[in-house]
Amino acid sequence: MHFIVRVRIFLARHGWARWARWARWARWAIVLVLTAGVAWTSHQQASAVERERKAWGTTVDVVVASADLEPGDPIEADVVPLTSAMLPSEALTSLPSSGRVRQRVVSGAVITTADVSTAVGLAAFAEPGTAVVGVVDPLASDPSIGLPVAVTLEGIVLVAAATVVGADDEVILIAVPISEAPMVAAAAQLGTVSLLFLP
């Protein structure tokens, strides 16, 4: 017997109204099942996110640069909560009341104690283990703080790796290793020191 004929016989025997009620209840049951499934899936995803967050550990408020900063710039930063597992050990946890950036820091980077100098005077931007020496090189006009340089005297390299930490009129302040600072200072008195700017 054809399927449509069977359906007609079934509806005639059991009544269309009863069939319609059953279909309506079935439709609502399906909707409820689907809703429960979506709610369960959302709960599982939220639980998974929470488990991952706990796996990474607690959050810590740290100082994050709010703009690209160059050596000598004042500190422009915000205090932001970040997961402790992804933080450097020397991350600043509060904005210093004073100080400037010792080295280049890109926007969004966590600022560490190595990035900031709160010292004053000519050695404010020098790294620990270095001393600042003033040299005169007429060809090196107004160099930027943080530039890497080499120090030479009449073609001889005295210091292969130094850093510009300031400039005052014609005098350029460079940070050199403490052990080599007396030699550079003595050469600077001769007036024949030249700076080689490095990439």
Side-chain angles (χ1 to χ4, degrees), residues 56-93:
W56 274 93
T58 57
T59 58
V60 178
D61 288 342
V62 293
V63 179
V64 175
S66 57
D68 290 339
L69 304 175
E70 298 295 332
D73 286 349
I75 301 168
E76 295 181 42
D78 300 311
V79 177
V80 178
L82 293 177
T83 304
S84 58
M86 56 187 290
L87 295 177
S89 59
E90 297 184 344
L92 293 181
T93 56

Side-chain angles (χ1 to χ4, degrees), residues 163-175:
T163 305
V164 175
V165 294
D168 183 13
D169 294 330
E170 295 180 353
V171 178
I172 300 170
L173 303 174
I174 57 173

Side-chain angles (χ1 to χ4, degrees), residues 184-193:
V184 175
Q189 294 298 318
L190 300 176
T192 55
V193 169

Side-chain angles (χ1 to χ4, degrees), residues 13-23:
R13 287 180 179 171
H14 299 281
W16 172 254
R18 191 193 312 176
W19 170 254
R21 280 196 305 274
W22 184 87

Side-chain angles (χ1 to χ4, degrees), residues 120-126 132 134 165-166 168 173:
V120 295
L122 300 179
F125 301 114
V132 176
V165 294
D168 183 13
L173 303 174

